[in-house]
Amino acid sequence: MLDYPSAIDLSSGHLRHLAGHLAARRREIGTRWRRITPGRQALLVLAHLRCGNTYAQLATGFGIGVATVYRYVREAIEVLATLAPSLAQVMRTASRPAFVILDGTLLPIDRIAADTPYYSGKHKRHGMNVQVLTDPFGRLLWASPALPGSTHDLTAARTHGIVEALAAAELKCWADKAYQGAGCPVRVPFRGRRLKRWQRRHNSTHAKIRCLGEQAMATLKGWRSLRRLRCSTNRITDVVKAVLVLHHATA
């Protein structure tokens, strides 16, 4: 098999951050020997998450077996997932006078037509529903656990307790029409075709604020492994958490 040098569009800070946690993990479990160093393992994991390289490609590039690559990637994702902030932590750290933007996204998965719980009628594809909170500048704050793609955004927000958390923190939130009926903390645009002039102006202003949340979606899907997930649906939440931790590592 042919190979060639490549690059990852991440800083060395991401590599040092992950390598430090992997080294600590090895000391914790008493690992005496591994095929590659924590730094090389961190590089392998970043190549998988950021570039979407498959296990076979990574095995060839790093000179190890496919099963070893799988174990190294899974170990790193589990280590990172434990460091992800909870919704309660995000609510405590968010600035009180400010507001947040709530939006949902579908992470595509590799599933067959029979897996109806994962099929999104809105997007016409199989995937997992993830709710995202951003600050007023569109910076990613938190990403929810993944639910089947057929889950409505409002149902997902209620399932994760987002609406209750916003109300308890007295934090305002901007969201799209999918969250109609969420309650007082969540502000949504007016619906209907025959809107009054002031309602159309309100919707225009609302859209200018809410569109900043799309920056967080672009940031999240900048990690190419999230553009088409091939792992078990039970592991997708940990993958999203790992990406969130790596994003915050040098933010």
Side-chain angles (χ1 to χ4, degrees):
M1 184 178 293
L2 299 175
D3 61 351
Y4 64 95
S6 185
I8 307 174
D9 55 339
L10 294 172
S11 69
S12 58
H14 291 90
L15 182 65
R16 290 193 299 268
H17 179 80
L18 179 53
H21 285 293
L22 291 175
R25 169 66 175 172
R26 294 187 183 190
R27 291 192 298 268
E28 179 185 349
I29 63 178
T31 300
R32 294 185 177 181
W33 181 83
R34 292 279 185 98
R35 290 290 304 274
I36 57 178
T37 65
R40 292 285 289 172
Q41 182 182 356
L43 184 64
L44 180 151
V45 174
L46 292 177
H48 174 68
L49 293 176
R50 186 68 176 184
C51 303
N53 292 346
T54 64
Y55 295 153
Q57 291 171 330
L58 295 170
T60 301
F62 286 82
I64 55 179
V66 175
T68 304
V69 172
Y70 172 81
R71 291 195 303 270
Y72 284 172
V73 170
R74 182 161 187 169
E75 177 187 45
I77 288 175
E78 290 175 352
V79 168
L80 289 171
T82 61
L83 304 173
S86 65
L87 179 60
Q89 290 173 328
V90 171
M91 291 295 105
R92 287 196 297 268
T93 57
S95 178
R96 185 61 63 89
F99 61 90
V100 295
I101 302 171
L102 172 64
D103 202 357
T105 187
L106 187 81
L107 300 180
I109 60 174
D110 188 10
R111 284 293 180 271
I112 61 176
D115 297 320
T116 53
Y118 302 101
Y119 185 78
S120 170
K122 175 182 176 181
H123 297 88
K124 307 300 181 185
R125 66 189 310 176
H126 293 83
M128 300 294 285
N129 181 297
V130 173
Q131 300 295 301
V132 174
L133 285 174
T134 68
D135 68 7
F137 303 99
R139 292 177 296 212
L140 183 62
L141 295 176
W142 178 79
S144 74
L147 293 175
S150 60
T151 308
H152 191 275
D153 282 338
L154 178 56
T155 302
R158 287 172 171 165
T159 300
H160 300 309
I162 298 174
V163 178
E164 293 81 356
L166 291 169
E170 299 180 359
L171 196 60
K172 297 178 182 178
C173 174
W174 265 250
D176 60 23
K177 297 177 182 179
Y179 299 90
Q180 197 87 28
C184 183
V186 182
R187 300 189 174 187
V188 297
F190 290 102
R191 299 182 66 177
R193 295 183 178 180
R194 298 182 179 180
L195 298 178
K196 297 180 180 179
R197 183 175 300 176
W198 69 271
Q199 291 176 321
R200 292 196 299 270
R201 287 199 301 267
H202 174 275
N203 283 2
S204 178
T205 303
H206 187 281
K208 290 178 181 178
I209 296 173
R210 192 182 57 79
C211 70
L212 296 174
E214 296 298 330
Q215 297 179 17
M217 297 300 181
T219 298
L220 197 63
K221 293 187 178 180
W223 297 79
R224 294 172 184 83
S225 62
L226 296 181
R227 296 180 185 177
R228 188 168 183 82
L229 290 154
R230 296 179 175 85
C231 62
S232 167
T233 54
N234 296 324
R235 294 183 53 215
I236 292 177
T237 293
D238 281 350
V239 175
V240 174
K241 287 183 177 180
V243 168
L244 181 65
V245 171
L246 289 171
H247 170 70
H248 287 160
T250 58

